[in-house]
Amino acid sequence: MSDRPKGLVRWLTTTDHKDIGILYLVTALFMAVFGGAFAGLLRAQLSAADLKVLNPDLYNQFLSMHGTVMIFFVIIPALAGFGNYFVPLLIGARDMAFPKLNALSYWLVIPAAFLMFGSFFVQGGAAQAGWTGYVPLASRQFSGTAGVDMWILGLHLVGLSSILGAINFLVTIINMRAPGMAYFKMPLFVWTWFVNATLILFATPVLAGALTMALTDRAFGTGFFRPSEGGDPLLWQHLFWFYSHPAVYIMVLPGMGIVSHVLPAFSSKKIFGYKGIVYATAAIGVIGFMVWAHHMFTSGIDPRLRAFFAFMTMVIAVPTGVKIFSWLATIWGGQIRFTTAMKFALGFIALFVMGGISGLTLAVVPFDVQVHDSYYVVAHLHYVLFGGSVMALLAGVFFWFPKMSGRILDEKLGNVIFWLIFLGMNITFLPMHWLGIVGMARRIYTYRPEFEFWNQVASFGYILLFAGGMLLLYNMFKTLRKGERAADDPWGAYPLQRTLDWSVSSPPPVENFAKIPEIA
Amino acid sequence: MKKIRIFLLSGFVFFGFAAIGWADEPITNWLTSPEGPLARAVRSNFYFSMAAFLPFLILSEVLLVYAIFRFKAKPGGQAATFHENLRLEVLWTVIPALTLAVTAIPTFKTMRAMEVPPKSDLVVAVIGHQFFWEYRYPKYGVQFAEEAMVVPAGKVVTLNLSSVDVVHSWWVPAFGVKQDANPGRITHAWFQADNPGRYKGQCAELCGKLHAKMYIDVNVVTPEEFEQWLMKKKGAAPPAQAAGSQ
Ligand code: HEM
Ligand SMILES: [Cu+2]
Ligand SMILES: [Cu+2]
């Protein structure tokens, strides 16, 4: 402990999984401020018809960067942050398998972020082709300036970061479990990261390949995606979604893992159907690779493919449903304590069910054809990503903050934060379902006047979200400076759950355990 | 405090339903009056699947809210200890799976209807440009751009879509049609509008700066009016030099 460097040097040179976890989380929080600010600009522009807050070029830049940043620089790093901090702790290991590689994974995110944010300042501005970067719009011919190149290189770097991280997680989980910790004794958060790392390992290299092809098309005039050279723009869509569909599970599985710790802890019960949840997680991982073309139902793919992907999309709803019912059964008959973490976990269920069911309606191809690329999809994706990933992350923040900092976040403020975010989220995104059904296309900087009312409502919701976010930051700063000290097991979670995170001091010592625990 | 919460929650639920029932002159009304057999099939498929899925949404949310109020911790209260129940777990795997199998049937039927048009009365080539649409009626040697597409009511119109630059998507909600227009390949769609009128839509795939303004208008006219319109079009602009953009 004593020979650890202090201050800035510690954070720049650390290879301790806990420090790296915190670095990831702080980075994600910082990025979320930007991603959230971009969202605010979009909502400001859309708060009435024909406004001129942003011109179309800027709207498309902020739109593309909002999506990219939220996914690749907020949710994925934040989950990696919790993963880094807690996976070794939960399996009774002293660190990740490859601590230096772990540090490298984190540090790759920083130049990637510079490329992304820096692109606003180059000539022509940031990429404008959406976070999906569809070609030919993202090709040199239609996006000639450096923005898309920087976007591609930035994604390359975060992709590499995830792949290295995934290898590390897999080796750690396979090799470094404490004696006695069989696979079916691993806490669910570890399980979700296990499946998640596998997903990353299979999916992310495909993204890297696709990005490389796009880059050579742009830089060297190859024709992977150009019909005049025998290429095909649809190839990009297939490759992109082959990554990005599993990516939505990459963004939600660890969140489900967090929730699977929070719900039992505050219901004073064991998780219901542990094995069922494990199997469901694995099933989602496998089937998740067989649904990507449901993002392409209107693209003109072969009808037999449409039928297959519609069917598989329905199939994947089944294991997802199993999890939801298992969580409900977990709180059923419990003694529920409504801490802020628990509220976020319950809010997660409420919102994720909504996003799941709207996702199911999108598997119904004729309906998807009506609402694809409309605001219905914007509503759906935010119910999943905000209502799913972000709510779970916030549950994790309130749940694990005492473990990581030694201080408990203010629960009174926490209550206000929860309600601002929960109501704000619904007021912002619920009306978007209706907007999409009646015909408002997505990714538009302005709209016909008949869509104005619900857009005003949505923009009002953003104000609540903004207030909630600011209050959360305030709560963190305040708590770090003079918050109430946390016991080793502030929630009383250990006696029933026996997860090792609560068995060590808050914060845990360097190397976590004086003596590696034996699991009975 | 508790009252306020219940009030907020129920206000919120009400708000949700109000949102579904309310539309201020939407550009389409495929839900209230879908135009033509295809749009009607899409709507019934939508209602059928909603009827199948909504119970699961409502059931989960109701159970959740019930549990929140019912199982609040009480001093000295004892939590139940069950954490497994094979029968329950099989049940909540099998019932959703069966429901989905049942909804798949009408879905596949409607998909077939979308993919296999009845005998075509009019073929129109739809070509996407940044940021306008070009239409060609090969049989009549008519082509034009940046104006409303004109089609006869009650006839089967088949579309061959493509693009000269980036991906666009031709979307007229009232007809139940959305189909991407890709460079380098031709995609297909069809519709049959029964009632004359002006139908609106817009491009549904991000295609660049003015994507938001890439509107679609379709004038559905009586067959006689359609003939007149064709005559006028042919007289006014010989096909060889039509479509100002090309
Ligand atoms: C602060 C609350 C948020 C607001 C007000 C907001 C608002 C928006 C808006 C207005 C759009 C543009 C939709 C369009 O024109 O198609 C959008 C797109 C998107 N948002 Fe958010 N958003 C928020 C939070 C998030 C979060 C937390 C995520 C994280 C996962 C996220 C991910 C996305 C993605 C992936 C897109 C799609 C971008 C695209 O269409 O290319 N958003 N959001
Ligand atoms: Cu377009
Ligand atoms: Cu467009």
Side-chain angles (χ1 to χ4, degrees), chain A residues 57 142 232 234 268-269 273 298-299 303 306 314 325 332-336 338 350 364 366-367 369-370 372-373 426 434 437-438 442-443 448 450 454, chain B residues 12 19-20 22 24-25 27-28 30 45-46 61 66 71 73-74 80 82-83 100 115 171 173 176 178-180 182 185 200-201 204-205 209 211 215:
Chain A
D57 274 324
F142 298 99
D232 189 343
L234 283 195
S268 303
K269 277 185 69 199
T298 64
S299 69
R306 284 216 293 206
M314 291 189 177
F325 289 122
W332 206 260
Q335 289 283 317
I336 303 179
F338 292 98
V364 176
F367 178 67
V369 166
Q370 278 295 17
H372 173 71
D373 269 332
N426 283 290
W434 184 238
I437 289 178
V438 298
R442 105 192 240 206
R443 297 174 168 175
R448 304 187 194 234
E450 51 263 43
W454 289 114
Chain B
F12 174 61
I20 309 258
W22 188 85
D24 183 16
E25 207 191 300
I27 65 166
T28 165
W30 69 279
N45 184 216
F46 168 66
E61 302 287 6
Y66 178 80
F71 302 114
K74 292 177 200 66
F82 64 88
H83 55 87
L100 289 172
E115 278 143 14
W171 181 28
K178 180 185 290 138
Q179 182 63 59
D180 288 5
N182 300 302
R185 66 164 66 207
K200 296 196 261 179
E205 180 63 60
K209 189 179 162 97
H211 162 58
Y215 294 134

Coordinates of all heavy atoms in Angstrom, one line a residue, chain A residues 57 142 232 234 268-269 273 298-299 303 306 314 325 332-336 338 350 364 366-367 369-370 372-373 426 434 437-438 442-443 448 450 454, chain B residues 12 19-20 22 24-25 27-28 30 45-46 61 66 71 73-74 80 82-83 100 115 171 173 176 178-180 182 185 200-201 204-205 209 211 215:
Chain A
D57 N -26.5 20.9 -41.1 CA -25.1 20.3 -41.0 C -24.8 20.0 -39.5 O -24.4 18.9 -39.1 CB -24.1 21.2 -41.5 CG -23.9 21.1 -43.0 OD1 -24.1 19.9 -43.5 OD2 -23.7 22.1 -43.7
F142 N -19.4 11.4 -50.7 CA -20.5 12.2 -50.1 C -20.1 12.8 -48.8 O -20.9 13.6 -48.2 CB -21.8 11.4 -50.0 CG -22.3 10.9 -51.3 CD1 -22.1 9.7 -51.8 CD2 -23.0 11.9 -52.1 CE1 -22.5 9.3 -53.1 CE2 -23.4 11.5 -53.4 CZ -23.2 10.2 -53.9
D232 N -21.0 -3.5 -52.8 CA -22.4 -3.3 -52.5 C -22.6 -2.6 -51.1 O -22.0 -3.0 -50.1 CB -23.0 -4.7 -52.4 CG -24.6 -4.6 -52.3 OD1 -25.1 -3.5 -52.0 OD2 -25.2 -5.6 -52.5
L234 N -25.0 -2.6 -49.3 CA -25.6 -3.5 -48.3 C -24.6 -4.3 -47.5 O -24.9 -4.7 -46.3 CB -26.7 -4.4 -48.9 CG -28.0 -3.7 -49.3 CD1 -29.0 -4.8 -49.6 CD2 -28.5 -2.8 -48.3
S268 N -34.0 -8.8 0.6 CA -33.6 -9.8 1.6 C -34.0 -11.2 1.1 O -34.4 -12.0 1.9 CB -34.3 -9.5 2.9 OG -34.0 -8.2 3.4
K269 N -33.8 -11.4 -0.2 CA -34.0 -12.7 -0.7 C -32.9 -13.1 -1.6 O -32.1 -12.3 -2.0 CB -35.3 -12.7 -1.5 CG -36.6 -12.9 -0.7 CD -37.8 -13.0 -1.6 CE -37.8 -14.3 -2.3 NZ -38.7 -14.3 -3.5
G273 N -34.3 -18.3 -9.5 CA -33.9 -18.9 -10.7 C -32.6 -18.6 -11.2 O -32.4 -18.3 -12.4
T298 N -36.3 -3.1 -44.3 CA -36.7 -2.3 -45.5 C -35.7 -2.1 -46.5 O -35.8 -1.4 -47.5 CB -37.2 -0.9 -45.0 OG1 -36.0 -0.2 -44.5 CG2 -38.2 -0.9 -44.0
S299 N -34.5 -2.8 -46.4 CA -33.4 -2.5 -47.2 C -33.5 -3.3 -48.6 O -32.7 -3.0 -49.5 CB -32.1 -2.9 -46.5 OG -32.0 -4.3 -46.4
P303 N -36.6 -11.9 -49.3 CA -37.8 -12.2 -48.4 C -37.6 -13.4 -47.4 O -38.0 -13.3 -46.3 CB -38.9 -12.5 -49.3 CG -38.5 -11.9 -50.6 CD -37.0 -11.8 -50.7
R306 N -35.8 -12.1 -44.5 CA -36.6 -11.3 -43.6 C -37.4 -12.3 -42.7 O -37.5 -12.0 -41.5 CB -37.6 -10.5 -44.5 CG -37.1 -9.3 -45.1 CD -38.0 -8.1 -45.1 NE -39.2 -8.3 -46.0 CZ -39.9 -7.3 -46.5 NH1 -39.5 -6.1 -46.3 NH2 -40.9 -7.5 -47.3
M314 N -38.1 -13.0 -32.6 CA -39.2 -13.4 -31.7 C -38.6 -14.4 -30.7 O -38.9 -14.3 -29.5 CB -40.3 -14.0 -32.4 CG -41.1 -12.9 -33.2 SD -42.6 -13.6 -33.9 CE -43.3 -12.2 -34.7
F325 N -39.3 -12.3 -15.6 CA -40.1 -13.0 -14.6 C -39.3 -13.4 -13.4 O -39.8 -13.4 -12.3 CB -40.8 -14.1 -15.3 CG -41.9 -13.7 -16.2 CD1 -41.9 -14.1 -17.5 CD2 -43.0 -12.9 -15.8 CE1 -42.9 -13.6 -18.4 CE2 -44.0 -12.5 -16.6 CZ -44.0 -12.8 -17.9
W332 N -40.7 -10.8 -5.2 CA -42.0 -11.3 -4.7 C -41.8 -12.0 -3.3 O -41.0 -12.8 -3.1 CB -42.6 -12.4 -5.6 CG -44.0 -12.5 -5.6 CD1 -44.8 -13.4 -4.9 CD2 -45.0 -11.6 -6.2 NE1 -46.1 -13.1 -5.1 CE2 -46.3 -12.0 -5.9 CE3 -44.8 -10.5 -7.0 CZ2 -47.4 -11.4 -6.3 CZ3 -46.0 -9.8 -7.5 CH2 -47.3 -10.3 -7.1
G333 N -42.6 -11.5 -2.3 CA -42.5 -12.0 -1.0 C -41.4 -11.5 -0.2 O -41.1 -12.0 0.9
G334 N -40.6 -10.6 -0.8 CA -39.5 -10.1 -0.1 C -39.8 -9.0 0.9 O -41.0 -8.7 1.1
Q335 N -38.8 -8.5 1.6 CA -38.9 -7.3 2.4 C -38.2 -6.2 1.7 O -37.0 -6.0 1.9 CB -38.3 -7.6 3.8 CG -39.0 -8.6 4.6 CD -40.3 -8.0 5.3 OE1 -40.2 -6.8 5.8 NE2 -41.4 -8.7 5.2
I336 N -38.9 -5.4 0.9 CA -38.2 -4.5 0.0 C -37.9 -3.2 0.7 O -38.7 -2.6 1.3 CB -39.1 -4.2 -1.2 CG1 -39.5 -5.5 -1.9 CG2 -38.4 -3.2 -2.2 CD1 -40.4 -5.3 -3.1
F338 N -36.5 0.5 0.0 CA -36.5 1.4 -1.2 C -35.3 2.3 -1.1 O -35.5 3.5 -1.0 CB -37.8 2.1 -1.4 CG -38.9 1.2 -1.8 CD1 -39.8 0.7 -0.8 CD2 -39.0 0.7 -3.1 CE1 -40.8 -0.2 -1.2 CE2 -40.0 -0.1 -3.4 CZ -40.9 -0.6 -2.5
A350 N -39.2 -1.7 -15.0 CA -40.3 -1.1 -15.6 C -40.0 -0.6 -17.0 O -40.9 -0.8 -17.9 CB -40.8 0.1 -14.7
V364 N -42.2 -7.9 -35.9 CA -43.4 -8.1 -36.8 C -43.1 -7.2 -38.1 O -43.4 -6.0 -38.1 CB -44.7 -7.6 -36.1 CG1 -45.9 -7.7 -37.0 CG2 -44.9 -8.5 -34.9
P366 N -44.3 -6.4 -41.0 CA -45.1 -5.4 -41.6 C -45.2 -4.1 -40.8 O -45.2 -3.0 -41.3 CB -46.5 -6.1 -41.7 CG -46.1 -7.5 -41.8 CD -44.9 -7.7 -40.9
F367 N -45.2 -4.3 -39.5 CA -45.3 -3.2 -38.6 C -43.9 -2.4 -38.6 O -43.8 -1.2 -38.7 CB -45.6 -3.5 -37.2 CG -45.6 -2.4 -36.2 CD1 -46.6 -1.4 -36.3 CD2 -44.7 -2.3 -35.2 CE1 -46.6 -0.3 -35.5 CE2 -44.7 -1.2 -34.3 CZ -45.6 -0.2 -34.5
V369 N -41.9 -2.2 -41.0 CA -41.8 -1.5 -42.2 C -42.5 -0.1 -42.1 O -42.0 0.9 -42.5 CB -42.5 -2.3 -43.4 CG1 -42.7 -1.4 -44.6 CG2 -41.6 -3.4 -43.8
Q370 N -43.6 -0.1 -41.3 CA -44.2 1.2 -41.0 C -43.4 2.1 -40.2 O -43.3 3.3 -40.4 CB -45.6 1.0 -40.3 CG -46.7 0.7 -41.2 CD -47.1 1.8 -42.2 OE1 -46.3 2.8 -42.4 NE2 -48.3 1.7 -42.8
H372 N -40.0 1.7 -39.1 CA -38.5 1.7 -39.2 C -38.0 3.1 -39.5 O -38.6 3.7 -40.3 CB -38.1 0.7 -40.3 CG -36.6 0.7 -40.5 ND1 -35.7 0.2 -39.7 CD2 -35.9 1.2 -41.6 CE1 -34.5 0.4 -40.2 NE2 -34.6 1.0 -41.4
D373 N -36.9 3.5 -38.9 CA -36.3 4.8 -39.1 C -37.3 5.9 -38.8 O -37.3 7.0 -39.4 CB -35.7 4.9 -40.5 CG -34.3 4.5 -40.5 OD1 -33.6 4.7 -39.5 OD2 -33.7 4.1 -41.5
N426 N -39.4 9.1 -19.1 CA -40.7 8.8 -19.8 C -41.4 9.9 -20.5 O -41.9 9.7 -21.6 CB -41.7 8.2 -18.7 CG -41.3 6.8 -18.3 OD1 -41.5 5.9 -19.1 ND2 -40.8 6.6 -17.1
W434 N -45.6 7.5 -30.3 CA -46.7 8.0 -31.0 C -46.3 8.8 -32.3 O -46.8 8.6 -33.4 CB -47.7 8.8 -30.1 CG -48.9 9.2 -30.8 CD1 -49.3 10.5 -30.9 CD2 -49.9 8.3 -31.4 NE1 -50.5 10.5 -31.6 CE2 -50.9 9.2 -31.9 CE3 -50.0 7.0 -31.6 CZ2 -52.0 8.7 -32.6 CZ3 -51.1 6.5 -32.3 CH2 -52.1 7.3 -32.8
I437 N -45.4 6.4 -35.0 CA -46.5 5.7 -35.6 C -47.3 6.6 -36.6 O -47.7 6.2 -37.6 CB -47.5 5.1 -34.5 CG1 -46.8 3.9 -33.8 CG2 -48.8 4.7 -35.1 CD1 -47.6 3.3 -32.7
V438 N -47.4 7.9 -36.2 CA -48.1 8.8 -37.1 C -47.2 9.3 -38.2 O -47.7 10.2 -39.0 CB -48.9 9.9 -36.4 CG1 -49.9 9.3 -35.5 CG2 -47.9 10.8 -35.7
R442 N -37.1 9.7 -38.4 CA -36.0 10.0 -37.5 C -34.9 10.7 -38.2 O -34.8 10.7 -39.4 CB -35.6 8.7 -36.8 CG -34.3 8.1 -37.2 CD -34.2 6.7 -36.7 NE -33.0 6.7 -35.8 CZ -32.4 5.5 -35.6 NH1 -32.8 4.4 -36.1 NH2 -31.3 5.5 -34.8
R443 N -34.0 11.2 -37.4 CA -32.8 11.9 -38.0 C -33.1 13.1 -38.8 O -32.6 13.3 -39.9 CB -31.9 10.9 -38.7 CG -31.4 9.8 -37.8 CD -30.7 8.8 -38.6 NE -30.0 7.9 -37.7 CZ -29.3 6.8 -38.1 NH1 -29.3 6.5 -39.3 NH2 -28.7 6.1 -37.2
R448 N -42.7 18.5 -39.8 CA -44.0 19.2 -40.2 C -44.7 19.7 -38.9 O -44.6 19.0 -37.9 CB -44.9 18.2 -40.9 CG -44.2 17.6 -42.1 CD -45.3 16.8 -42.9 NE -44.6 16.0 -43.9 CZ -44.9 16.0 -45.2 NH1 -45.9 16.8 -45.6 NH2 -44.3 15.1 -46.0
E450 N -47.5 19.5 -37.7 CA -48.5 18.6 -36.9 C -47.8 17.8 -35.9 O -48.4 17.2 -35.0 CB -49.3 17.7 -37.9 CG -48.5 16.9 -38.9 CD -48.4 17.6 -40.2 OE1 -48.2 18.9 -40.3 OE2 -48.6 16.9 -41.3
W454 N -46.1 17.0 -29.4 CA -45.4 15.9 -28.6 C -43.9 16.1 -28.6 O -43.2 15.7 -27.7 CB -45.7 14.5 -29.2 CG -47.2 14.2 -28.9 CD1 -48.2 14.0 -29.7 CD2 -47.7 14.0 -27.5 NE1 -49.3 13.7 -29.1 CE2 -49.1 13.7 -27.7 CE3 -47.2 14.1 -26.3 CZ2 -49.9 13.5 -26.6 CZ3 -48.1 13.9 -25.2 CH2 -49.4 13.6 -25.4
Chain B
F12 N -49.2 9.6 -15.1 CA -48.3 9.1 -16.1 C -48.8 8.1 -17.0 O -48.7 8.1 -18.3 CB -47.0 8.7 -15.4 CG -46.1 8.1 -16.3 CD1 -45.5 8.9 -17.2 CD2 -45.8 6.8 -16.2 CE1 -44.7 8.4 -18.1 CE2 -44.9 6.2 -17.1 CZ -44.4 7.0 -18.0
A19 N -51.6 9.6 -25.2 CA -50.7 9.8 -26.3 C -51.1 8.9 -27.5 O -51.0 9.3 -28.6 CB -49.3 9.5 -25.9
I20 N -51.5 7.7 -27.1 CA -51.9 6.7 -28.2 C -53.2 7.2 -28.9 O -53.3 6.9 -30.1 CB -52.1 5.3 -27.6 CG1 -50.8 5.0 -26.8 CG2 -52.3 4.3 -28.7 CD1 -49.9 4.1 -27.4
W22 N -54.4 10.2 -29.5 CA -54.5 11.5 -29.9 C -53.5 11.8 -31.1 O -52.4 11.5 -31.0 CB -54.1 12.4 -28.7 CG -54.4 13.9 -29.0 CD1 -55.6 14.5 -28.9 CD2 -53.5 14.8 -29.5 NE1 -55.4 15.8 -29.3 CE2 -54.1 16.0 -29.6 CE3 -52.1 14.8 -29.8 CZ2 -53.5 17.2 -30.1 CZ3 -51.5 15.9 -30.3 CH2 -52.2 17.1 -30.4
D24 N -52.7 15.1 -33.8 CA -53.1 16.4 -34.3 C -52.8 16.4 -35.8 O -51.7 16.8 -36.2 CB -52.3 17.5 -33.6 CG -52.8 18.9 -34.0 OD1 -53.8 19.0 -34.6 OD2 -52.0 19.8 -33.7
E25 N -53.8 16.0 -36.6 CA -53.7 16.0 -38.0 C -52.4 15.4 -38.5 O -51.5 16.0 -39.0 CB -53.7 17.4 -38.5 CG -54.2 17.5 -40.0 CD -54.0 18.9 -40.5 OE1 -54.6 19.8 -39.9 OE2 -53.3 19.0 -41.5
I27 N -49.6 13.3 -40.6 CA -49.5 13.3 -42.1 C -50.0 12.0 -42.6 O -50.2 11.8 -43.8 CB -48.0 13.4 -42.5 CG1 -47.2 12.3 -42.1 CG2 -47.5 14.8 -42.1 CD1 -45.8 12.3 -42.8
T28 N -50.2 11.0 -41.8 CA -50.8 9.8 -42.3 C -51.8 9.4 -41.3 O -51.8 9.8 -40.2 CB -49.8 8.7 -42.3 OG1 -50.4 7.5 -42.5 CG2 -49.0 8.6 -41.0
W30 N -52.7 5.8 -41.2 CA -52.8 4.4 -41.5 C -53.5 3.6 -40.4 O -54.0 2.5 -40.7 CB -51.4 3.8 -41.8 CG -50.5 3.7 -40.6 CD1 -49.8 4.7 -40.1 CD2 -50.3 2.5 -39.8 NE1 -49.0 4.2 -39.0 CE2 -49.3 2.9 -38.8 CE3 -50.7 1.2 -39.8 CZ2 -48.9 2.0 -37.9 CZ3 -50.3 0.3 -38.9 CH2 -49.4 0.7 -37.9
N45 N -52.5 -6.9 -38.9 CA -51.4 -7.6 -38.4 C -50.9 -6.9 -37.1 O -50.5 -7.5 -36.1 CB -50.3 -7.7 -39.5 CG -49.1 -8.5 -39.0 OD1 -48.0 -8.2 -39.4 ND2 -49.3 -9.5 -38.2
F46 N -50.8 -5.6 -37.2 CA -50.4 -4.8 -36.1 C -51.3 -5.0 -34.9 O -50.9 -5.2 -33.7 CB -50.4 -3.3 -36.5 CG -50.2 -2.3 -35.3 CD1 -49.0 -2.3 -34.6 CD2 -51.2 -1.4 -35.0 CE1 -48.9 -1.4 -33.5 CE2 -51.0 -0.5 -34.0 CZ -49.9 -0.5 -33.2
E61 N -45.8 -5.1 -15.8 CA -45.9 -3.8 -15.1 C -46.8 -3.9 -13.8 O -46.5 -3.4 -12.8 CB -46.3 -2.7 -16.0 CG -45.5 -2.5 -17.3 CD -44.1 -1.9 -17.0 OE1 -43.7 -1.7 -15.9 OE2 -43.4 -1.7 -18.0
Y66 N -47.6 -3.9 -8.1 CA -48.2 -4.6 -7.0 C -47.1 -5.0 -6.0 O -47.2 -4.8 -4.8 CB -48.9 -5.9 -7.5 CG -49.6 -6.7 -6.4 CD1 -50.8 -6.3 -5.8 CD2 -48.9 -7.8 -5.9 CE1 -51.3 -7.0 -4.8 CE2 -49.5 -8.5 -4.8 CZ -50.7 -8.1 -4.3 OH -51.2 -8.8 -3.2
F71 N -44.9 -5.6 -0.9 CA -43.8 -6.3 -0.2 C -42.8 -5.2 0.4 O -41.6 -5.5 0.5 CB -43.1 -7.3 -1.1 CG -44.0 -8.3 -1.6 CD1 -44.3 -8.5 -2.9 CD2 -44.6 -9.2 -0.7 CE1 -45.2 -9.4 -3.4 CE2 -45.5 -10.2 -1.2 CZ -45.8 -10.3 -2.5
A73 N -40.8 -3.4 3.0 CA -40.2 -4.0 4.3 C -41.0 -3.5 5.5 O -41.3 -2.3 5.6 CB -38.7 -3.6 4.4
K74 N -41.3 -4.3 6.4 CA -41.9 -3.9 7.7 C -41.0 -4.3 8.8 O -40.2 -5.3 8.7 CB -43.2 -4.6 7.9 CG -44.3 -4.2 6.9 CD -45.6 -5.0 7.0 CE -46.4 -4.9 5.8 NZ -45.8 -5.5 4.6
A80 N -39.7 -14.1 2.3 CA -39.9 -15.5 1.9 C -38.5 -16.0 1.5 O -37.6 -15.3 1.3 CB -40.8 -15.5 0.7
F82 N -38.2 -18.8 -0.9 CA -38.1 -19.6 -2.1 C -37.2 -18.9 -3.1 O -37.1 -17.7 -3.1 CB -39.5 -19.8 -2.7 CG -40.1 -18.5 -3.1 CD1 -39.9 -18.0 -4.4 CD2 -41.0 -17.8 -2.3 CE1 -40.5 -16.8 -4.8 CE2 -41.5 -16.6 -2.7 CZ -41.3 -16.1 -4.0
H83 N -36.5 -19.7 -3.9 CA -35.7 -19.1 -5.0 C -35.6 -20.0 -6.2 O -34.6 -19.9 -6.9 CB -34.3 -18.6 -4.5 CG -33.5 -19.7 -3.8 ND1 -32.7 -20.6 -4.5 CD2 -33.5 -20.1 -2.5 CE1 -32.2 -21.4 -3.7 NE2 -32.6 -21.2 -2.5
L100 N -45.7 -16.4 -29.2 CA -45.0 -15.9 -30.4 C -45.2 -16.7 -31.6 O -45.3 -16.2 -32.7 CB -43.5 -15.8 -30.0 CG -43.2 -14.7 -29.0 CD1 -41.7 -14.8 -28.5 CD2 -43.4 -13.4 -29.6
E115 N -44.8 -9.0 -50.3 CA -43.8 -9.4 -51.3 C -44.3 -9.8 -52.6 O -43.6 -9.7 -53.6 CB -42.9 -10.5 -50.6 CG -41.9 -9.9 -49.7 CD -41.7 -10.8 -48.5 OE1 -42.1 -12.0 -48.5 OE2 -41.0 -10.4 -47.5
W171 N -41.2 6.4 -48.3 CA -42.2 6.0 -47.2 C -43.5 6.8 -47.3 O -43.4 8.0 -47.2 CB -41.5 6.3 -45.9 CG -42.4 5.9 -44.7 CD1 -43.4 5.0 -44.6 CD2 -42.3 6.5 -43.4 NE1 -43.9 5.0 -43.4 CE2 -43.3 5.9 -42.6 CE3 -41.5 7.5 -42.8 CZ2 -43.5 6.2 -41.2 CZ3 -41.7 7.9 -41.5 CH2 -42.6 7.2 -40.7
P173 N -46.8 6.4 -45.3 CA -47.4 5.6 -44.2 C -48.8 5.1 -44.6 O -49.1 3.9 -44.3 CB -47.4 6.5 -43.0 CG -46.3 7.5 -43.3 CD -46.3 7.7 -44.8
G176 N -48.9 1.9 -46.3 CA -48.2 0.7 -45.7 C -46.9 0.4 -46.5 O -46.5 -0.7 -46.5
K178 N -42.8 1.2 -47.0 CA -41.5 1.8 -46.9 C -40.5 0.9 -47.5 O -40.4 -0.2 -47.2 CB -41.2 2.1 -45.4 CG -39.8 2.7 -45.2 CD -39.4 2.9 -43.8 CE -40.3 3.9 -43.0 NZ -40.6 3.4 -41.7
Q179 N -39.7 1.5 -48.4 CA -38.8 0.6 -49.1 C -37.5 1.5 -49.4 O -37.6 2.6 -50.0 CB -39.4 0.1 -50.4 CG -38.5 -0.9 -51.2 CD -38.1 -2.1 -50.4 OE1 -39.0 -2.9 -50.0 NE2 -36.8 -2.3 -50.1
D180 N -36.4 0.9 -49.1 CA -35.1 1.6 -49.4 C -34.9 1.7 -50.9 O -35.2 0.8 -51.6 CB -33.9 0.9 -48.7 CG -34.0 1.1 -47.2 OD1 -34.9 1.7 -46.7 OD2 -33.0 0.7 -46.5
N182 N -31.7 1.9 -53.0 CA -30.2 1.7 -52.9 C -29.5 2.0 -54.2 O -30.1 1.6 -55.3 CB -29.8 0.3 -52.5 CG -30.4 -0.1 -51.2 OD1 -30.2 0.6 -50.2 ND2 -31.3 -1.1 -51.2
R185 N -28.7 -1.4 -57.0 CA -29.6 -2.5 -57.0 C -31.1 -2.0 -57.0 O -31.3 -0.8 -56.7 CB -29.4 -3.4 -55.8 CG -29.7 -2.9 -54.5 CD -29.9 -3.9 -53.4 NE -28.6 -4.6 -53.2 CZ -28.6 -5.9 -52.7 NH1 -29.7 -6.6 -52.5 NH2 -27.4 -6.5 -52.4
K200 N -49.2 12.0 -48.1 CA -47.9 12.6 -47.8 C -46.9 11.5 -47.2 O -47.4 10.6 -46.5 CB -48.0 13.8 -46.9 CG -48.8 14.9 -47.5 CD -48.6 16.2 -46.7 CE -49.7 16.5 -45.8 NZ -49.5 17.7 -45.0
G201 N -45.7 11.7 -47.4 CA -44.7 10.9 -46.8 C -43.4 11.6 -46.8 O -43.3 12.8 -47.2
A204 N -37.1 8.2 -45.5 CA -36.9 7.7 -44.2 C -35.5 7.1 -43.9 O -35.3 6.3 -43.0 CB -37.9 6.6 -43.9
E205 N -34.5 7.5 -44.7 CA -33.2 7.0 -44.4 C -32.3 8.2 -44.5 O -32.3 9.0 -45.5 CB -32.7 6.0 -45.4 CG -31.3 5.4 -45.2 CD -31.2 4.7 -43.9 OE1 -31.9 3.7 -43.7 OE2 -30.4 5.1 -43.1
K209 N -27.6 16.4 -45.7 CA -28.0 17.6 -45.1 C -29.6 17.9 -45.2 O -30.1 18.2 -44.1 CB -27.3 18.7 -46.0 CG -27.4 20.1 -45.5 CD -26.6 21.0 -46.4 CE -26.9 22.4 -46.3 NZ -26.0 23.2 -45.4
H211 N -32.1 15.8 -45.7 CA -32.9 14.6 -45.5 C -34.3 15.0 -44.9 O -35.3 14.4 -45.4 CB -32.1 13.6 -44.6 CG -33.0 12.6 -43.9 ND1 -33.7 11.7 -44.6 CD2 -33.2 12.3 -42.6 CE1 -34.3 10.9 -43.8 NE2 -34.0 11.2 -42.6
Y215 N -39.4 15.4 -48.9 CA -40.8 15.0 -48.8 C -41.2 14.1 -50.0 O -40.6 14.1 -51.0 CB -41.7 16.2 -48.7 CG -41.5 17.0 -47.4 CD1 -41.3 18.4 -47.5 CD2 -41.3 16.4 -46.2 CE1 -41.1 19.2 -46.4 CE2 -41.1 17.1 -45.0 CZ -41.0 18.5 -45.1 OH -40.8 19.2 -44.0

